[in-house]
C-alpha cells in the first residue's frame, strides 16, 4: 500500500480552502453590518435555495428537525393522527411526529436503495387504521443522498389523501427523473448541519413548498406567530429562524454546490468500480443522481466491527448509519410497525458501513482507501459479500 495519507471522513477544511476568501468576507460583512436576525442574506439565500430545486418558496429555519416540526404544526397534525415514515433513518424523522403527539407508523425500506419501499405503504396505512389512527401524512427520507422512488409514492399519497413531506436533509439537490429533491413533495425539508452535502457552520434548516398559503403560515410560525409586524402575534409560534451568518455561509456554499455534487459522482464511481463484487456497493436508480451524503457498503454483520477496526488501524475512518432502526430503539419501540415487521431494516442496520466521502477526496486518497478495504476483506473475500 502507498504512504498513509491523513483521511477525514468529511473534509470541511478542504471545502473552506476551495471557497477561499469569499467565505471570510461574507461572514465578516454580517458581523460589520449588524443585521444578525433575518438580515438580507436570509432572503437572498432562500431565493437561491428555492431556485436550485425548482420550488416556489424556501423558508429558512433553525435546523432540519424544526423544519419537520413546523410543517406538522402547519398541517395541524397531533394526537390521533398517524404519520407513516421509515424506521431506518436518523431519529429526527420519527421524533418530530411523536413530539407533536401524533403516532409514527414505521414502514419497510427497499433493500437496494435503503429508501422507503412504495410497495410497503399499503400495509402501513392498514396498520395505522387498525390502531384507530387517522393517517394524515407520509414522511419519506432521501437516505444517503438518493431521492426516493417518488412516482409511485406520489400516486399513493394522492390516492389516500396523505400529505407528502420529503425529508431531504441528506438528499437536497439529488435528481429524480428530471426533478430535483427539495422540489418534490407537498413539502420538502432539509438540514444544513455541517456534515450535510449542503451544510453551514452551525445549525440551520429549510422548508420548501409550492403553496403560497403554507409558506406564509410557516414564515409566521418560525417567528412567534407574527402577523403584519414583529409585535403582532396572531397565532402561537416559536423562534426558529435561520441566522444571517449561516445564510451568508450558505450563499457561498450554494455557489459551489452543483460542482460539488458532480465531484462526488466521480468519487462514488471510482469506489464502485473498484469494490463491486468484493462488497455490496450502493445502487442508484436509473435516471437518478445521488448527492452521496454517504457512500455506504455492506459487509457481514459478524465481521462489521472487525472491518471497521482494521480500517481504523490503517487510518481510514468509517461510520455506521444507522446501527439500530428506530422501531428497535427504546424511545420508539412501542409505536406501530407495518405488516409483519421490518426484517430488511433490521438486516441492513446490522450490515451497513459508510466510507469517507466528500467532493475534495483526491484520487490518491481514494486509491489508498480502496486498497485498505481490499486488504481488510482479502482473507474472507468469499463470505464478506452479502
Ligand atoms: C434524515 C434526517 N432528517 C432530519 C435531520 C435533522 O436535521 P438537524 O440536525 O438539522 O435538526 C437529519 C440530520 O442529521 C437527518 O439526517
Amino acid at each position: 500500500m502507498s504512504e498513509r495519507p491523513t483521511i477525514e471522513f468529511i473534509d470541511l477544511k478542504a471545502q473552506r480552502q476551495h471557497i477561499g476568501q469569499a467565505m471570510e468576507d461574507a461572514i465578516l460583512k454580517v458581523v460589520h453590518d449588524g443585521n444578525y436576525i433575518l438580515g438580507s442574506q436570509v432572503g437572498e439565500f432562500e431565493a437561491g435555495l428555492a431556485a436550485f430545486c425548482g420550488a416556489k418558496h424556501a423558508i429558512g429555519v433553525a435546523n432540519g428537525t424544526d423544519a419537520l416540526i413546523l410543517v406538522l404544526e402547519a398541517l395541524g397534525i397531533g394526537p390521533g393522527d398517524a404519520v407513516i415514515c421509515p424506521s431506518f433513518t436518523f431519529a429526527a424523522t420519527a421524533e418530530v411526529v411523536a413530539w407533536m403527539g401524533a403516532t409514527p407508523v414505521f414502514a419497510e425500506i427497499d433493500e437496494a436503495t435503503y429508501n422507503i419501499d412504495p410497495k410497503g405503504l399499503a400495509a402501513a396505512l392498514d396498520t395505522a387504521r387498525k390502531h384507530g389512527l387517522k393517517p394524515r401524512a407520509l414522511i419519506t427520507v432521501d437516505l444517503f443522498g438518493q431521492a426516493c422512488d417518488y412516482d409511485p409514492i406520489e400516486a399513493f399519497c394522492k390516492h389516500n389523501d396523505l400529505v407528502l413531506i420529503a425529508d431531504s436533509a441528506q438528499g437536497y439537490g439529488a435528481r429524480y427523473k428530471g426533478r430535483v429533491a427539495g422540489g418534490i413533495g407537498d413539502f420538502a425539508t432539509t438540514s444544513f448541519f455541517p456534515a450535510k452535502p449542503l451544510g453551514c457552520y452551525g445549525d440551520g434548516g429549510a422548508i420548501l413548498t409550492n403553496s403560497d398559503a403554507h409558506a406564509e403560515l410557516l414564515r409566521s410560525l418560525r417567528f412567534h406567530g407574527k402577523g403584519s409586524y414583529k409585535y403582532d402575534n396572531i397565532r402561537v409560534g416559536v423562534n426558529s429562524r435561520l441566522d444571517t451568518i449561516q445564510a451568508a455561509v450558505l450563499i457561498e456554499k450554494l455557489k459551489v454546490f452543483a460542482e460539488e455534487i458532480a465531484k462526488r459522482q466521480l468519487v462514488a464511481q471510482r469506489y464502485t468500480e473498484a469494490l463491486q463484487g468484493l462488497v455490496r456497493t450502493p445502487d442508484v436508480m436509473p435516471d437518478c443522481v445521488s448527492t452521496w451524503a454517504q457512500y455506504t457498503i455492506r459487509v457481514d454483520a459478524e465481521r462489521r466491527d472487525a472491518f471497521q477496526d482494521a480500517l481504523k488501524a490503517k487510518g481510514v475512518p468509517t461510520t455506521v448509519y444507522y446501527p439500530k432502526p428506530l422501531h428497535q430503539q427504546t424511545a420508539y419501540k412501542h409505536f406501530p410497525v407495518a405488516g409483519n415487521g421490518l426484517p430488511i431494516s433490521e438486516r441492513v442496520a446490522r450490515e451497513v458501513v459508510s466510507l469517507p466521502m466528500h467532493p475534495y477526496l483526491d484520487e490518491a486518497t481514494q486509491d489508498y482507501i480502496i486498497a485498505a478495504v481490499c486488504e481488510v476483506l482479502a482473507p474472507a473475500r468469499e463470505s464478506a459479500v452479502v
Side-chain angles (χ1 to χ4, degrees):
M1 266 175 75
S2 50
E3 207 180 311
R4 179 199 281 206
T6 303
I7 304 172
E8 302 286 345
F9 190 69
I10 293 170
D11 195 346
L12 294 174
K13 219 184 290 169
Q15 185 197 46
R16 213 180 62 228
Q17 277 159 4
H18 177 73
I19 297 173
Q21 191 59 35
M23 180 62 89
E24 263 121 86
D25 291 347
I27 294 170
L28 270 181
K29 183 167 176 2
V30 180
V31 174
H32 291 151
D33 287 355
N35 296 318
Y36 307 126
I37 304 295
L38 294 186
S40 63
Q41 288 87 342
V42 176
E44 182 187 336
F45 171 64
E46 287 174 339
L49 190 77
F52 190 93
C53 66
K56 194 165 175 194
H57 303 281
I59 299 106
V61 296
N63 54 68
T65 308
D66 276 8
L68 288 164
I69 285 180
L70 289 168
V71 171
L72 298 180
E73 176 68 27
L75 294 168
I77 288 178
D81 293 333
V83 177
I84 299 168
C85 65
S87 174
F88 185 61
T89 175
F90 183 63
T93 309
E95 173 186 56
V96 296
V97 178
W99 189 256
M100 297 301 291
T103 303
V105 175
F106 293 114
E108 187 58 295
I109 54 165
D110 171 61
E111 175 118 34
T113 63
Y114 310 132
N115 282 334
I116 202 160
D117 186 348
K119 295 189 293 300
L121 295 177
L125 199 66
D126 213 34
T127 300
R129 292 195 176 121
K130 278 189 187 136
H131 280 76
L133 300 162
K134 184 174 189 321
R136 295 282 313 276
L138 165 65
I139 302 183
T140 53
V141 178
D142 299 328
L143 202 75
F144 302 151
Q146 175 161 210
C148 296
D149 192 3
Y150 280 111
D151 284 347
I153 288 172
E154 285 173 326
F156 180 85
C157 286
K158 200 163 174 206
H159 185 71
N160 293 289
D161 204 16
L162 295 176
V163 178
L164 175 57
I165 305 165
D167 178 352
S168 297
Q170 301 177 19
Y172 172 86
R175 294 198 165 259
Y176 174 80
K177 302 183 181 178
R179 292 191 283 163
V180 180
I184 305 175
D186 297 304
F187 299 88
T189 62
T190 191
S191 162
F192 304 125
F193 184 82
K196 296 288 186 258
L198 181 62
C200 60
Y201 290 161
D203 277 313
I207 304 160
L208 299 121
T209 184
N210 289 331
S211 161
D212 297 340
H214 281 112
E216 195 184 326
L217 175 57
L218 288 160
R219 286 185 192 286
S220 168
L221 288 172
R222 77 167 174 185
F223 197 156
H224 304 293
K226 89 177 179 64
S228 57
Y229 76 108
K230 197 170 161 179
Y231 298 113
D232 177 27
N233 305 112
I234 59 171
R235 58 177 63 84
V236 175
V238 289
N239 175 5
S240 185
R241 300 168 297 229
L242 180 67
D243 287 352
T244 309
I245 284 192
Q246 301 306 343
V249 167
L250 286 161
I251 288 170
E252 297 310 313
K253 293 222 193 179
L254 194 57
K255 287 179 191 165
V256 298
F257 189 49
E259 171 196 328
E260 288 190 342
I261 294 176
K263 284 181 177 163
R264 286 170 185 269
Q265 305 312 311
L266 301 179
V267 177
Q269 216 173 312
R270 288 187 93 242
Y271 272 156
T272 299
E273 274 164 17
L275 299 177
Q276 229 164 18
L278 190 61
V279 285
R280 184 162 180 163
T281 50
D283 282 322
V284 178
M285 290 181 296
D287 207 11
C288 293
V289 178
S290 174
T291 60
W292 296 107
Q294 303 299 336
Y295 185 92
T296 303
I297 58 172
R298 302 251 299 270
V299 296
D300 268 352
E302 312 78 65
R303 298 191 67 235
R304 186 171 66 182
D305 286 351
F307 176 77
Q308 287 192 275
D309 289 346
L311 282 180
K312 192 176 173 193
K314 291 175 184 294
V316 178
T318 58
T319 310
V320 170
Y321 299 107
Y322 296 94
K324 215 195 239 189
L326 296 181
H327 71 280
Q328 295 184 317
Q329 296 275 5
T330 309
Y332 301 100
K333 59 184 171 204
H334 59 289
F335 289 118
V337 162
N340 298 320
L342 308 177
I344 299 173
S345 300
E346 290 171 18
R347 181 167 61 246
V348 161
R350 289 192 297 267
E351 295 175 352
V352 285
V353 53
S354 300
L355 299 179
M357 164 55 82
H358 60 84
Y360 305 97
L361 201 57
D362 60 63
E363 289 198 358
T365 309
Q366 288 168 42
D367 289 343
Y368 179 90
I369 295 166
I370 290 164
V373 171
C374 292
E375 269 181 33
V376 168
L377 289 175
R381 196 164 283 200
E382 299 300 303
S383 64
V385 183
V386 293

